[in-house]
Amino acid sequence: MTKLTLRRPDDWHLHLRDGAMLEGVIGDTSRHFGRAIIMPNLVPPVVTTADARAYRERIVKAIPAGDTFEPLMTLYLTEHTSPDDVEEGKKSGLITAVKLYPAGATTNSHGGVRDMDKAMPVLERMAKIGLPLCVHGEVTTPEVDIFDREAVFIETVLDPLRKRLPELKVTMEHVTTENGIDYIRSAEKNLAGSITTHHLIINRNAILVGGIKPHYYCLPVAKRENHRLALVKAATSGDARFFLGTDSAPHIDPLKECGCGCAGIYTSINTMSCLAHVFENEGALDRLEAFASLNGPTWYGLQPNPETITLIKRDEPVDFPKKRETGAGPVTVFDPLFPLHWDVA
Ligand code: NCD
Ligand code: ZN
C-alpha cells in the first residue's frame, strides 16, 4: 500500500505552552490534527474555568490562518479545586477533562495533588456529571525506582481510586508499561489509555546507550523493550480503549541540553509519518484510523472529524526539519532513528 486515507486525526494529549512557544509550535499540530486535548501545566497552571477560557482564547488567536483546529481544554487538579467551578466548566462546554498530576511527577507539577483524599469532592462531582479524569500515572515517592513508578501508581493510587469511585471515567495518559496495558484491558468499564508516538518507537536504550541523549528523555521515561512491544500490540490491535495522545512537549534546546535537562519530546510535526511506519511494520495500516482518529472521540463522547487526510508513501525519505525554530528558541524534533517514507499529502 502506498496511499492511505483516514479521518482527520486528533491528539488526546498535547502541550502547546504559551506566548512565543505556542505561536511557534501550534501550526505543527493544526496542520494535521482536528482537535487536541491541551495540557494545563503552564506556569502558573490552568486551574480555574476562567484560566482555561483565557488560555483557549490565546490558543485560538495563534492558530495559523486557514487551519481549522479545536483546542479541548483541561483543568489542572489541585487540592483546592472547586467542584462547582469544574461543573460550570463542563456545562459551558469549555472543559473536556480534568488532569491529575501527582505533585512533583513531571514538568510544572509541584502544585499537583499530594493527598488524594483532598481531591475526592471534585472527583465525586466529576463522576456524577460524567467529566473524565486524565491521569499522569506515576507515583513520586522517592523510594520508588523511576522505572517502576507507573506500575506502583496503578496498584497504590489508580486501582483504589477506581474501586472507590467506579463511575469516574479515567484516561490513563501516556501508558508506558505492559502493566498499564494489562490493567486497562482488565477493566470492565470507565478506563482507557492514550499512547504516545515516541513510546511506540523508543525504549530506554535510546536515552542511555552511546552517551546520554536528552532529546529522548520524557516522562514517564521510556521503559524496556518488552514494554514497548506491549504498547505497539495494544495500539495496533484496534481495541477501542487505546488511542493517540502524542504528549508532544516542546522545550527549547538549552533547557534539555544541560546538567538537569527537562523532560519532553517534540513529535507534533512528524507523528503521523512515524505512526504510519509503526503500523505498516505490524501489518496494521488498516487500524491506524481507529487509533488516531476514531477511538479517542468515542471515548470522549465526540464525533470523529468529518474531514479526511491522506498519507502517501514516498520512495525517498521525507525531510523533516531537525529543529522547529520558535520565537522562544529552537526545539529539537523527534528523530525516530529510521527514515520516514510516509508523508501527509
Ligand atoms: C511534559 C512537559 O514537558 O510538560 N513532559 C513530558 O516529558 N511528557 C509533562 C508530562 O506530560 O509529563
Ligand atoms: Zn504530557
Side-chain angles (χ1 to χ4, degrees):
M1 202 193 288
T2 56
K3 195 173 164 193
L4 179 68
T5 295
L6 48 140
R7 292 281 194 141
R8 193 169 180 217
D10 300 302
D11 184 350
W12 301 97
H13 180 132
L14 175 67
H15 299 269
L16 283 178
R17 317 300 190 200
D18 216 339
M21 180 64 92
L22 164 66
E23 282 165 22
V25 299
I26 188 169
D28 287 338
T29 291
S30 63
R31 194 175 311 124
H32 299 158
F33 296 89
R35 295 165 290 198
I37 284 200
I38 310 301
M39 286 298 121
N41 64 331
L42 303 182
V43 190
V46 179
V47 290
T48 64
T49 292
D51 295 341
R53 187 166 288 119
Y55 184 31
R56 186 179 188 282
E57 278 167 20
R58 299 198 294 279
I59 294 170
V60 168
K61 257 197 206 136
I63 300 170
D67 283 4
T68 52
F69 174 69
E70 159 108 46
L72 303 172
M73 306 310 291
T74 58
L75 294 176
Y76 182 111
L77 183 63
T78 74
E79 293 177 0
H80 312 285
T81 299
S82 140
D84 288 343
D85 184 58
V86 166
E87 181 162 355
E88 191 218 303
K90 147 107 177 150
K91 279 201 177 134
S92 69
L94 180 77
I95 300 300
T96 300
V98 173
K99 173 78 186 228
L100 165 68
Y101 288 104
T106 187
T107 313
N108 306 335
S109 65
H110 42 271
V113 176
R114 270 160 234 281
D115 178 358
M116 285 300 283
D117 283 348
K118 297 215 170 104
M120 282 319 285
V122 180
L123 298 174
E124 280 160 10
R125 185 75 65 89
M126 289 166 58
K128 191 166 151 219
I129 63 178
L131 185 63
L133 178 72
C134 291
V135 300
H136 183 109
E138 289 192 290
V139 292
T140 53
T141 335
E143 306 79 64
V144 178
D145 189 279
I146 191 162
F147 291 99
D148 299 334
R149 288 180 171 197
E150 183 170 295
V152 175
F153 179 88
I154 294 168
E155 265 176 56
T156 63
V157 182
L158 186 55
D159 196 55
L161 172 65
R162 293 188 55 252
K163 290 200 168 112
R164 196 165 164 184
L165 256 184
E167 296 313 317
L168 181 67
K169 252 180 111 144
V170 179
T171 312
M172 229 192 119
E173 300 205 280
H174 41 51
V175 181
T176 61
T177 58
E178 196 169 11
N179 315 59
I181 297 294
D182 289 346
Y183 184 66
I184 292 166
R185 282 221 176 91
S186 73
E188 265 168 44
K189 58 169 190 179
N190 287 342
L191 184 64
S194 68
I195 301 177
T196 76
T197 311
H198 49 280
H199 288 114
L200 292 173
I201 293 174
I202 59 163
N203 62 32
R204 63 198 204 175
N205 283 6
I207 314 164
L208 296 169
V209 172
I212 189 152
K213 314 274 175 55
H215 295 294
Y216 294 99
Y217 173 61
C218 66
L219 287 169
V221 70
K223 310 293 192 298
R224 285 177 181 274
E225 178 66 0
N226 62 299
H227 295 291
R228 187 190 72 84
L229 293 173
L231 299 176
V232 170
K233 206 167 154 204
T236 59
S237 68
D239 185 327
R241 290 170 293 188
F242 299 106
F243 45 82
L244 174 65
T246 65
D247 196 12
S248 185
H251 292 279
I252 56 167
D253 285 348
L255 293 181
K256 288 198 61 82
E257 299 167 359
C258 60
C260 181
C262 293
I265 299 182
Y266 186 63
T267 55
S268 295
I269 188 168
N270 56 8
T271 274
M272 291 314 296
S273 303
C274 288
L275 291 177
H277 181 105
V278 169
F279 277 66
E280 183 178 41
N281 270 355
E282 294 302 303
L285 271 177
D286 57 331
R287 289 184 218 138
L288 177 57
E289 185 179 45
F291 180 68
S293 318
L294 303 178
N295 297 346
T298 303
W299 170 248
Y300 283 103
L302 301 167
Q303 293 299 315
N305 292 310
E307 312 91 6
T308 58
I309 63 165
T310 296
L311 288 147
I312 290 176
K313 191 172 182 186
R314 308 213 181 271
D315 292 338
E316 293 302 313
V318 187
D319 212 8
F320 287 101
K322 293 212 165 8
K323 291 181 195 294
R324 164 58 69 219
E325 299 294 341
T326 77
V331 175
T332 291
V333 170
F334 175 62
D335 175 358
L337 302 170
F338 46 71
L340 289 166
H341 288 268
W342 286 94
D343 197 7
V344 179

